[in-house]
Amino acid sequence: MITSPENIIVLALDVDGVLTDGTITFWGLPHVFQNESKTFHVHDGQGISLWQKAGFHVVLISGRNADCVSIRAKELNIPYVYQGSKDKIADLARALKKIGASPEQTCFVGDDLGDLAVMRHVGYSIAVGNAAMEVKEIANVTTAALGGHGAVREAIEHLMQASGTWANAVDSSKTEPTQQ
Ligand SMILES: [Mg+2]
């Protein structure tokens, strides 16, 4: 199924390699306390805030599990966060049930082979600029920006330009600051 980008109301995002550049830094003491760091981009954060402010929804689905993802999601008021996901289609279905939307109304942004199935399942899909070749081949659009370097912002602008909501979002940000 392919949905026109103007009909998308849910943006579902992989995390590593999409919202981040894919690098993972481990820190802490082995066998005592270990955690991991990732780097997020403020341009993506600003885009997510504008997207949600316009009444649209964001879902994060990650195969990994990290505190920093929960912190970033909370900062950006993203309520639908699925970490340690073994089945991205099933976790997306859980979020869509809560939102009251369908896969046809969803755009998934991915970067690697683990995203192929869910990208085929939704109405519209976007690959980040440095996604695996197989991901780019099935995506409706590939961003110029790389994962973790504004690809999500570019995806959001693409969808909001299509639905004619981007200009209003830009106008509103001239007077009302949003979370980045
Ligand atoms: Mg990934």
Side-chain angles (χ1 to χ4, degrees):
M1 73 189 105
I2 297 178
T3 306
S4 293
E6 65 264 32
N7 296 321
I8 297 300
I9 62 169
V10 178
L11 182 68
L13 305 170
D14 173 46
V15 175
D16 294 291
V18 170
L19 266 180
T20 78
D21 67 5
T23 57
I24 299 160
T25 305
F26 290 98
W27 52 274
L29 297 169
H31 312 300
V32 180
F33 172 75
Q34 279 204 292
N35 211 321
E36 61 187 59
S37 303
K38 306 175 197 287
T39 303
F40 298 91
H41 203 296
V42 287
H43 289 181
D44 292 332
Q46 176 78 81
I48 285 170
S49 292
L50 293 179
W51 173 258
Q52 293 185 125
K53 202 172 170 190
F56 302 123
H57 307 274
V58 175
V59 179
L60 301 187
I61 306 177
S62 175
R64 296 184 63 84
N65 210 327
D67 291 342
C68 59
V69 174
S70 306
I71 292 166
R72 185 61 171 149
K74 194 172 177 195
E75 197 172 50
L76 294 172
N77 298 308
I78 301 171
Y80 311 106
V81 182
Y82 299 85
Q83 294 203 71
S85 178
K86 300 281 179 260
D87 183 340
K88 290 186 177 183
I89 292 176
D91 285 328
L92 176 63
R94 289 184 184 96
L96 293 180
K97 193 174 178 192
K98 289 180 190 169
I99 293 168
S102 68
E104 290 82 0
Q105 294 172 295
T106 303
C107 169
F108 193 93
V109 185
D111 73 307
D112 212 347
L113 304 181
D115 302 318
L116 283 174
V118 68
M119 287 173 76
R120 287 181 189 278
H121 175 72
V122 296
Y124 199 77
S125 63
I126 298 178
V128 300
N130 55 339
M133 182 188 67
E134 294 84 351
V135 172
K136 289 181 180 176
E137 276 175 2
I138 64 140
N140 296 108
V141 168
T142 297
T143 63
L146 308 184
H149 294 277
V152 170
R153 166 62 162 273
E154 191 180 327
I156 287 169
E157 184 171 343
H158 170 72
L159 296 174
M160 293 183 80
Q161 291 278 17
S163 63
T165 54
W166 180 250
N168 277 348
V170 172
D171 271 352
S172 74
S173 50
K174 288 175 185 166
T175 50
E176 302 162 41
T178 45
Q179 178 67 46
Q180 300 183 339

